Amino acid sequence: MTEVKLLLFDVFGTLADWHGSIAREVHGLLAARGLAVDGAGFATAWRAEYQGAMEEVRSGRIPFCKLDLLHRRNLDIVLKAQGLDHLDEATRRQLNLAWHRLDGWPDVTPGLARLRLKYRLAPCSNGNISLMADLARRNGWHWDAITGAELARDYKPKAIVYLSAVEAFDCAPHEAMMVAAHSSDLAAAAAAGLRTAFIARPNEHGPGIGETAASVPVDVSANGLIDLAERLGG
């Protein structure tokens, strides 16, 4: 582990409580317009469209586009499915930007501050750069750079996303560690030559719905970023 210089972070689920935040935003915005909507159910349905939309890009069926655009496409699908196709354009834009207003898990801001004393830090997310910047400003996260899908012009778990982040910092793959709450993300990063750290987020998809242990081999497992800092000697 002494060779690791760079920590790369998944964001949705690992650092940010997307489910709770989107549920809150959906309920608030639609309730203000007199619409009773199950915010938690809507958040789950919206996220369920996530991988399929990115696969359109990964497979080459459509050109690369930012996640904001895929989120909007997915939002329109869910609104139609839930009988809310009449929702006005301004509200749709506000809803789509809810992904820019996610709250971090409580351990993340202090954990990143500790890790930053020893390592260079960057998100390696499928989220676009403006989205990552907004989340950082909202939550007090300090990055050395923003890497990920927009830099690579492709989506995880394609190897180019991890390797372009590593290359941006002039590191070799084994000098970087991918930190994520998703075993599939870590398996792909390991296949690209990175070290890996699993973060348990048992409530990612709602209370009691999330990965509590990695289902693939990893270098480190932790219960949050403060725990990760302690395990890495920070």
Side-chain angles (χ1 to χ4, degrees):
M1 303 301 294
T2 57
E3 295 179 313
V4 174
K5 303 174 182 178
L6 169 66
L7 301 183
L8 299 171
F9 294 85
D10 172 68
V11 173
F12 302 123
T14 303
L15 303 186
D17 175 14
W18 65 263
H19 187 270
S21 301
I22 294 297
R24 178 198 65 229
E25 291 273 345
V26 168
H27 175 77
L29 283 168
L30 297 187
R33 288 153 179 79
L35 299 170
V37 176
D38 173 12
F42 195 102
T44 297
W46 198 352
R47 182 71 172 186
E49 301 291 335
Y50 180 69
Q51 288 297 335
M54 290 187 299
E55 186 57 28
E56 292 288 297
V57 174
R58 290 190 293 248
S59 67
R61 288 192 289 271
I62 64 172
F64 177 82
C65 59
K66 296 180 183 183
L67 188 63
D68 275 345
L69 296 178
L70 295 183
H71 273 156
R72 174 55 194 271
R73 187 187 85 162
N74 296 342
L75 172 63
D76 291 342
I77 291 170
V78 176
L79 287 171
K80 185 174 183 178
Q82 298 203 6
L84 297 168
D85 208 26
H86 62 282
L87 200 66
D88 63 276
E89 177 62 23
T91 303
R92 290 172 190 250
R93 287 197 299 269
Q94 280 187 282
L95 277 173
N96 205 48
L97 288 173
W99 293 93
H100 291 238
R101 299 188 292 269
L102 305 181
D103 293 332
W105 299 109
D107 61 278
V108 172
T109 301
L112 287 176
R114 284 183 59 174
L115 290 164
R116 197 165 185 260
L117 297 174
K118 186 175 180 180
Y119 302 98
R120 288 179 285 176
L121 310 180
C124 186
S125 170
N126 285 325
N128 42 281
I129 291 170
S130 65
L131 198 168
M132 293 297 105
D134 285 345
L135 292 184
R137 291 177 68 86
R138 177 180 178 83
N139 292 286
W141 301 339
H142 299 284
W143 300 123
D144 293 298
I146 294 176
T147 66
E150 190 173 353
L151 176 67
R153 311 299 289 179
D154 211 335
Y155 285 106
K156 295 190 296 181
K158 297 282 281 292
I160 187 61
V161 185
Y162 309 102
L163 295 176
S164 65
V166 171
E167 184 179 355
F169 282 91
D170 295 324
C171 289
H174 71 273
E175 294 175 314
M177 172 176 279
M178 185 67 199
V179 182
H182 311 117
S183 296
S184 58
D185 199 356
L186 297 175
L194 282 69
R195 309 297 290 269
T196 54
F198 175 81
I199 304 297
R201 295 296 183 202
N203 300 315
E204 178 190 351
H205 296 265
I209 310 173
E211 287 191 58
T212 58
S215 61
V216 299
V218 297
D219 294 294
V220 181
S221 289
N223 290 319
L225 294 201
I226 294 173
D227 186 30
L228 179 64
E230 291 173 353
R231 291 174 185 272
L232 294 180

